[in-house]
Structure formats: C-alpha cells, structure tokens
Amino acid sequence: MIDTDRETAHRAWRIAERVKRLSDDLIPLGPFGLGLDGVLAWVPGANVLYSVGAGGVLIYAGIIGGASGFTLARMGLYLAANSAMAEVPIIGWAMDTLFRGHFMAARALQKDIERRFGPSEAPEAWGRRRERRETVRVLS
C-alpha cells in the first residue's frame, strides 16, 4: 500500500464511480443495471477488450487510492471472473451481461477508501440523470 492523501484517495473513489456507472449501471433495471460491459459482452473481441481495459483502470485507481492488498486481490478476482466469462460464446456472454464484476470491484475499492478517509461523494451533476428519471417515473 502506498502513502495516499485524502484528495488522491477520493479522486480514485470518483474514478471507480465512473467505471462502475459506465460498465454496469448506465440503464438501471430495478436493483440491477446494464452498462457497456453487458452490451459489449455480445461483441466478440470488444467484450474482452473493454472488460480488461475497464478492469485495468479500476486496478490503477486502487493503487493510486492506496487500497489494501486484500482489496486489490478481491478486485482482481472479480475482474478476472468478469473477463473470463467473456471468452465463452453465448452462455459466457449471457453470464457476463448479468455478472456485475466491475461494479463489485469498484464498490470494494470505494469501501476501502471510505473506511480510511471517510465518505466521498460523486459530484452533484452526476446525480442529475437519476433525479430526472425518478421525476419522470413519478409523473408517469
């Protein structure tokens, strides 16, 4: 674990939040969500490229955020499982669509950072999209 200050750790938290939303939560479906990882799971080649790339960004965020070795190992397991599923046609792609590996890895990092540096929040502008959706649901 590297020596990390609060600002750098919270920057890593925000990176994890972006990847989490982009990968597994662009379109909320009840308690679940669908993101680029689930959509690209059905595109051979792109599925692994995206999964490994987004996973690399999360691991990088974990390192700059000073995550513990245990947290980094957990993140690695989630990401390896997510990427491995993408290699199996049809059944693996379906499993990859449903398995929220990037979400779980990002959340593990965020909890590690919050435990050491206190709560962090996404900028207010990030929540506007959700608030609009909730308003539309109420009005419908």
mmCIF file of all heavy atoms in Angstrom, residues 49-83:
data_model
loop_
_atom_site.group_PDB
_atom_site.id
_atom_site.type_symbol
_atom_site.label_atom_id
_atom_site.label_comp_id
_atom_site.label_asym_id
_atom_site.label_seq_id
_atom_site.Cartn_x
_atom_site.Cartn_y
_atom_site.Cartn_z
ATOM 1 N N LEU A 49 -11.749 -6.787 -24.665
ATOM 2 C CA LEU A 49 -11.003 -5.533 -24.707
ATOM 3 C C LEU A 49 -11.574 -4.537 -23.700
ATOM 4 O O LEU A 49 -10.824 -3.946 -22.905
ATOM 5 C CB LEU A 49 -11.043 -4.949 -26.120
ATOM 6 C CG LEU A 49 -10.186 -3.730 -26.372
ATOM 7 C CD1 LEU A 49 -8.710 -4.070 -26.204
ATOM 8 C CD2 LEU A 49 -10.440 -3.193 -27.767
ATOM 9 N N TYR A 50 -12.878 -4.358 -23.688
ATOM 10 C CA TYR A 50 -13.496 -3.430 -22.744
ATOM 11 C C TYR A 50 -13.327 -3.918 -21.302
ATOM 12 O O TYR A 50 -12.960 -3.156 -20.418
ATOM 13 C CB TYR A 50 -14.986 -3.211 -23.032
ATOM 14 C CG TYR A 50 -15.584 -2.289 -21.994
ATOM 15 C CD1 TYR A 50 -15.427 -0.918 -22.115
ATOM 16 C CD2 TYR A 50 -16.221 -2.785 -20.863
ATOM 17 C CE1 TYR A 50 -15.910 -0.060 -21.141
ATOM 18 C CE2 TYR A 50 -16.704 -1.935 -19.889
ATOM 19 C CZ TYR A 50 -16.556 -0.571 -20.027
ATOM 20 O OH TYR A 50 -17.022 0.260 -19.046
ATOM 21 N N SER A 51 -13.599 -5.197 -21.087
ATOM 22 C CA SER A 51 -13.546 -5.745 -19.737
ATOM 23 C C SER A 51 -12.155 -5.597 -19.127
ATOM 24 O O SER A 51 -12.015 -5.158 -17.980
ATOM 25 C CB SER A 51 -13.967 -7.213 -19.765
ATOM 26 O OG SER A 51 -14.106 -7.706 -18.469
ATOM 27 N N VAL A 52 -11.140 -5.931 -19.880
ATOM 28 C CA VAL A 52 -9.761 -5.831 -19.387
ATOM 29 C C VAL A 52 -9.350 -4.366 -19.231
ATOM 30 O O VAL A 52 -8.715 -3.991 -18.244
ATOM 31 C CB VAL A 52 -8.796 -6.601 -20.317
ATOM 32 C CG1 VAL A 52 -7.347 -6.324 -19.966
ATOM 33 C CG2 VAL A 52 -9.085 -8.095 -20.250
ATOM 34 N N GLY A 53 -9.743 -3.525 -20.191
ATOM 35 C CA GLY A 53 -9.403 -2.101 -20.105
ATOM 36 C C GLY A 53 -10.024 -1.429 -18.893
ATOM 37 O O GLY A 53 -9.340 -0.722 -18.136
ATOM 38 N N ALA A 54 -11.320 -1.641 -18.695
ATOM 39 C CA ALA A 54 -12.007 -1.042 -17.544
ATOM 40 C C ALA A 54 -11.457 -1.622 -16.241
ATOM 41 O O ALA A 54 -11.299 -0.910 -15.246
ATOM 42 C CB ALA A 54 -13.506 -1.276 -17.641
ATOM 43 N N GLY A 55 -11.133 -2.911 -16.258
ATOM 44 C CA GLY A 55 -10.530 -3.539 -15.078
ATOM 45 C C GLY A 55 -9.173 -2.938 -14.759
ATOM 46 O O GLY A 55 -8.839 -2.699 -13.592
ATOM 47 N N GLY A 56 -8.395 -2.652 -15.794
ATOM 48 C CA GLY A 56 -7.088 -2.020 -15.599
ATOM 49 C C GLY A 56 -7.217 -0.640 -14.980
ATOM 50 O O GLY A 56 -6.435 -0.260 -14.103
ATOM 51 N N VAL A 57 -8.223 0.106 -15.419
ATOM 52 C CA VAL A 57 -8.463 1.431 -14.845
ATOM 53 C C VAL A 57 -8.813 1.306 -13.361
ATOM 54 O O VAL A 57 -8.343 2.089 -12.528
ATOM 55 C CB VAL A 57 -9.579 2.168 -15.625
ATOM 56 C CG1 VAL A 57 -10.027 3.431 -14.895
ATOM 57 C CG2 VAL A 57 -9.113 2.509 -17.036
ATOM 58 N N LEU A 58 -9.631 0.309 -13.017
ATOM 59 C CA LEU A 58 -10.002 0.111 -11.611
ATOM 60 C C LEU A 58 -8.797 -0.285 -10.755
ATOM 61 O O LEU A 58 -8.638 0.216 -9.637
ATOM 62 C CB LEU A 58 -11.101 -0.943 -11.489
ATOM 63 C CG LEU A 58 -12.496 -0.466 -11.881
ATOM 64 C CD1 LEU A 58 -13.467 -1.634 -11.925
ATOM 65 C CD2 LEU A 58 -12.984 0.611 -10.927
ATOM 66 N N ILE A 59 -7.960 -1.170 -11.267
ATOM 67 C CA ILE A 59 -6.766 -1.571 -10.517
ATOM 68 C C ILE A 59 -5.835 -0.372 -10.338
ATOM 69 O O ILE A 59 -5.287 -0.143 -9.251
ATOM 70 C CB ILE A 59 -6.039 -2.753 -11.200
ATOM 71 C CG1 ILE A 59 -6.920 -4.004 -11.185
ATOM 72 C CG2 ILE A 59 -4.675 -3.008 -10.567
ATOM 73 C CD1 ILE A 59 -7.222 -4.571 -9.802
ATOM 74 N N TYR A 60 -5.671 0.421 -11.395
ATOM 75 C CA TYR A 60 -4.868 1.642 -11.300
ATOM 76 C C TYR A 60 -5.438 2.569 -10.216
ATOM 77 O O TYR A 60 -4.695 3.093 -9.383
ATOM 78 C CB TYR A 60 -4.829 2.358 -12.652
ATOM 79 C CG TYR A 60 -4.226 3.740 -12.585
ATOM 80 C CD1 TYR A 60 -2.853 3.916 -12.464
ATOM 81 C CD2 TYR A 60 -5.032 4.877 -12.626
ATOM 82 C CE1 TYR A 60 -2.295 5.181 -12.385
ATOM 83 C CE2 TYR A 60 -4.484 6.148 -12.550
ATOM 84 C CZ TYR A 60 -3.123 6.295 -12.430
ATOM 85 O OH TYR A 60 -2.580 7.545 -12.348
ATOM 86 N N ALA A 61 -6.761 2.749 -10.216
ATOM 87 C CA ALA A 61 -7.406 3.587 -9.196
ATOM 88 C C ALA A 61 -7.149 3.017 -7.800
ATOM 89 O O ALA A 61 -6.919 3.760 -6.847
ATOM 90 C CB ALA A 61 -8.902 3.713 -9.466
ATOM 91 N N GLY A 62 -7.175 1.699 -7.693
ATOM 92 C CA GLY A 62 -6.897 1.062 -6.412
ATOM 93 C C GLY A 62 -5.485 1.324 -5.935
ATOM 94 O O GLY A 62 -5.248 1.574 -4.746
ATOM 95 N N ILE A 63 -4.547 1.308 -6.853
ATOM 96 C CA ILE A 63 -3.145 1.552 -6.487
ATOM 97 C C ILE A 63 -2.948 3.004 -6.070
ATOM 98 O O ILE A 63 -2.371 3.278 -5.018
ATOM 99 C CB ILE A 63 -2.206 1.155 -7.645
ATOM 100 C CG1 ILE A 63 -2.239 -0.368 -7.824
ATOM 101 C CG2 ILE A 63 -0.788 1.665 -7.401
ATOM 102 C CD1 ILE A 63 -1.581 -0.871 -9.090
ATOM 103 N N ILE A 64 -3.458 3.950 -6.878
ATOM 104 C CA ILE A 64 -3.263 5.365 -6.500
ATOM 105 C C ILE A 64 -4.090 5.727 -5.264
ATOM 106 O O ILE A 64 -3.738 6.638 -4.532
ATOM 107 C CB ILE A 64 -3.546 6.352 -7.657
ATOM 108 C CG1 ILE A 64 -5.020 6.348 -8.042
ATOM 109 C CG2 ILE A 64 -2.641 6.100 -8.829
ATOM 110 C CD1 ILE A 64 -5.424 7.539 -8.886
ATOM 111 N N GLY A 65 -5.185 4.991 -5.039
ATOM 112 C CA GLY A 65 -6.012 5.228 -3.863
ATOM 113 C C GLY A 65 -5.465 4.581 -2.617
ATOM 114 O O GLY A 65 -6.031 4.713 -1.539
ATOM 115 N N GLY A 66 -4.365 3.841 -2.754
ATOM 116 C CA GLY A 66 -3.728 3.214 -1.606
ATOM 117 C C GLY A 66 -4.519 2.057 -1.018
ATOM 118 O O GLY A 66 -4.452 1.796 0.177
ATOM 119 N N ALA A 67 -5.269 1.348 -1.861
ATOM 120 C CA ALA A 67 -6.080 0.222 -1.379
ATOM 121 C C ALA A 67 -5.188 -0.858 -0.766
ATOM 122 O O ALA A 67 -4.036 -1.040 -1.168
ATOM 123 C CB ALA A 67 -6.892 -0.367 -2.525
ATOM 124 N N SER A 68 -5.754 -1.574 0.179
ATOM 125 C CA SER A 68 -5.016 -2.657 0.830
ATOM 126 C C SER A 68 -4.782 -3.796 -0.163
ATOM 127 O O SER A 68 -5.486 -3.912 -1.174
ATOM 128 C CB SER A 68 -5.808 -3.178 2.029
ATOM 129 O OG SER A 68 -6.979 -3.852 1.597
ATOM 130 N N GLY A 69 -3.816 -4.638 0.149
ATOM 131 C CA GLY A 69 -3.549 -5.808 -0.694
ATOM 132 C C GLY A 69 -4.759 -6.707 -0.793
ATOM 133 O O GLY A 69 -5.043 -7.264 -1.860
ATOM 134 N N PHE A 70 -5.495 -6.861 0.301
ATOM 135 C CA PHE A 70 -6.703 -7.678 0.298
ATOM 136 C C PHE A 70 -7.744 -7.119 -0.663
ATOM 137 O O PHE A 70 -8.356 -7.851 -1.431
ATOM 138 C CB PHE A 70 -7.280 -7.785 1.717
ATOM 139 C CG PHE A 70 -8.571 -8.550 1.776
ATOM 140 C CD1 PHE A 70 -8.578 -9.934 1.653
ATOM 141 C CD2 PHE A 70 -9.774 -7.890 1.938
ATOM 142 C CE1 PHE A 70 -9.775 -10.647 1.693
ATOM 143 C CE2 PHE A 70 -10.973 -8.591 1.980
ATOM 144 C CZ PHE A 70 -10.973 -9.973 1.861
ATOM 145 N N THR A 71 -7.933 -5.805 -0.625
ATOM 146 C CA THR A 71 -8.913 -5.172 -1.516
ATOM 147 C C THR A 71 -8.485 -5.329 -2.970
ATOM 148 O O THR A 71 -9.310 -5.659 -3.833
ATOM 149 C CB THR A 71 -9.093 -3.678 -1.166
ATOM 150 O OG1 THR A 71 -9.603 -3.583 0.163
ATOM 151 C CG2 THR A 71 -10.047 -2.990 -2.126
ATOM 152 N N LEU A 72 -7.213 -5.109 -3.254
ATOM 153 C CA LEU A 72 -6.725 -5.267 -4.633
ATOM 154 C C LEU A 72 -6.893 -6.709 -5.119
ATOM 155 O O LEU A 72 -7.257 -6.947 -6.270
ATOM 156 C CB LEU A 72 -5.265 -4.827 -4.740
ATOM 157 C CG LEU A 72 -5.012 -3.325 -4.627
ATOM 158 C CD1 LEU A 72 -3.511 -3.039 -4.537
ATOM 159 C CD2 LEU A 72 -5.630 -2.580 -5.799
ATOM 160 N N ALA A 73 -6.647 -7.681 -4.232
ATOM 161 C CA ALA A 73 -6.821 -9.089 -4.602
ATOM 162 C C ALA A 73 -8.292 -9.391 -4.882
ATOM 163 O O ALA A 73 -8.610 -10.075 -5.857
ATOM 164 C CB ALA A 73 -6.292 -9.991 -3.484
ATOM 165 N N ARG A 74 -9.186 -8.886 -4.036
ATOM 166 C CA ARG A 74 -10.628 -9.064 -4.254
ATOM 167 C C ARG A 74 -11.059 -8.462 -5.573
ATOM 168 O O ARG A 74 -11.801 -9.068 -6.349
ATOM 169 C CB ARG A 74 -11.405 -8.370 -3.124
ATOM 170 C CG ARG A 74 -12.160 -9.311 -2.267
ATOM 171 C CD ARG A 74 -12.821 -8.602 -1.118
ATOM 172 N NE ARG A 74 -14.055 -7.964 -1.535
ATOM 173 C CZ ARG A 74 -14.634 -6.992 -0.874
ATOM 174 N NH1 ARG A 74 -14.086 -6.502 0.217
ATOM 175 N NH2 ARG A 74 -15.762 -6.496 -1.289
ATOM 176 N N MET A 75 -10.590 -7.246 -5.829
ATOM 177 C CA MET A 75 -10.914 -6.583 -7.094
ATOM 178 C C MET A 75 -10.417 -7.426 -8.268
ATOM 179 O O MET A 75 -11.139 -7.622 -9.250
ATOM 180 C CB MET A 75 -10.266 -5.195 -7.147
ATOM 181 C CG MET A 75 -10.856 -4.193 -6.195
ATOM 182 S SD MET A 75 -9.891 -2.655 -6.105
ATOM 183 C CE MET A 75 -10.075 -2.031 -7.780
ATOM 184 N N GLY A 76 -9.208 -7.928 -8.152
ATOM 185 C CA GLY A 76 -8.637 -8.758 -9.213
ATOM 186 C C GLY A 76 -9.458 -10.005 -9.479
ATOM 187 O O GLY A 76 -9.645 -10.395 -10.634
ATOM 188 N N LEU A 77 -9.958 -10.629 -8.426
ATOM 189 C CA LEU A 77 -10.792 -11.830 -8.606
ATOM 190 C C LEU A 77 -12.101 -11.503 -9.318
ATOM 191 O O LEU A 77 -12.515 -12.216 -10.231
ATOM 192 C CB LEU A 77 -11.073 -12.497 -7.265
ATOM 193 C CG LEU A 77 -9.897 -13.222 -6.629
ATOM 194 C CD1 LEU A 77 -10.254 -13.709 -5.224
ATOM 195 C CD2 LEU A 77 -9.468 -14.400 -7.501
ATOM 196 N N TYR A 78 -12.758 -10.419 -8.907
ATOM 197 C CA TYR A 78 -13.998 -10.009 -9.577
ATOM 198 C C TYR A 78 -13.747 -9.725 -11.058
ATOM 199 O O TYR A 78 -14.510 -10.141 -11.929
ATOM 200 C CB TYR A 78 -14.577 -8.741 -8.940
ATOM 201 C CG TYR A 78 -15.083 -8.886 -7.533
ATOM 202 C CD1 TYR A 78 -14.860 -7.867 -6.608
ATOM 203 C CD2 TYR A 78 -15.793 -9.999 -7.108
ATOM 204 C CE1 TYR A 78 -15.323 -7.952 -5.310
ATOM 205 C CE2 TYR A 78 -16.258 -10.097 -5.805
ATOM 206 C CZ TYR A 78 -16.021 -9.072 -4.909
ATOM 207 O OH TYR A 78 -16.490 -9.159 -3.626
ATOM 208 N N LEU A 79 -12.661 -9.017 -11.328
ATOM 209 C CA LEU A 79 -12.362 -8.621 -12.704
ATOM 210 C C LEU A 79 -11.920 -9.800 -13.553
ATOM 211 O O LEU A 79 -12.282 -9.894 -14.730
ATOM 212 C CB LEU A 79 -11.303 -7.514 -12.700
ATOM 213 C CG LEU A 79 -11.760 -6.217 -12.009
ATOM 214 C CD1 LEU A 79 -10.582 -5.287 -11.788
ATOM 215 C CD2 LEU A 79 -12.861 -5.541 -12.802
ATOM 216 N N ALA A 80 -11.155 -10.716 -12.973
ATOM 217 C CA ALA A 80 -10.742 -11.913 -13.712
ATOM 218 C C ALA A 80 -11.948 -12.771 -14.064
ATOM 219 O O ALA A 80 -12.066 -13.265 -15.200
ATOM 220 C CB ALA A 80 -9.737 -12.715 -12.896
ATOM 221 N N ALA A 81 -12.861 -12.939 -13.117
ATOM 222 C CA ALA A 81 -14.081 -13.708 -13.390
ATOM 223 C C ALA A 81 -14.899 -13.040 -14.482
ATOM 224 O O ALA A 81 -15.404 -13.702 -15.400
ATOM 225 C CB ALA A 81 -14.916 -13.856 -12.115
ATOM 226 N N ASN A 82 -15.012 -11.736 -14.416
ATOM 227 C CA ASN A 82 -15.780 -10.994 -15.413
ATOM 228 C C ASN A 82 -15.180 -11.158 -16.805
ATOM 229 O O ASN A 82 -15.890 -11.406 -17.775
ATOM 230 C CB ASN A 82 -15.830 -9.520 -15.020
ATOM 231 C CG ASN A 82 -16.864 -8.752 -15.799
ATOM 232 O OD1 ASN A 82 -18.058 -8.954 -15.614
ATOM 233 N ND2 ASN A 82 -16.417 -7.879 -16.673
ATOM 234 N N SER A 83 -13.864 -11.033 -16.903
ATOM 235 C CA SER A 83 -13.197 -11.144 -18.201
ATOM 236 C C SER A 83 -13.202 -12.576 -18.723
ATOM 237 O O SER A 83 -13.306 -12.798 -19.929
ATOM 238 C CB SER A 83 -11.757 -10.636 -18.098
ATOM 239 O OG SER A 83 -11.761 -9.260 -17.782
#
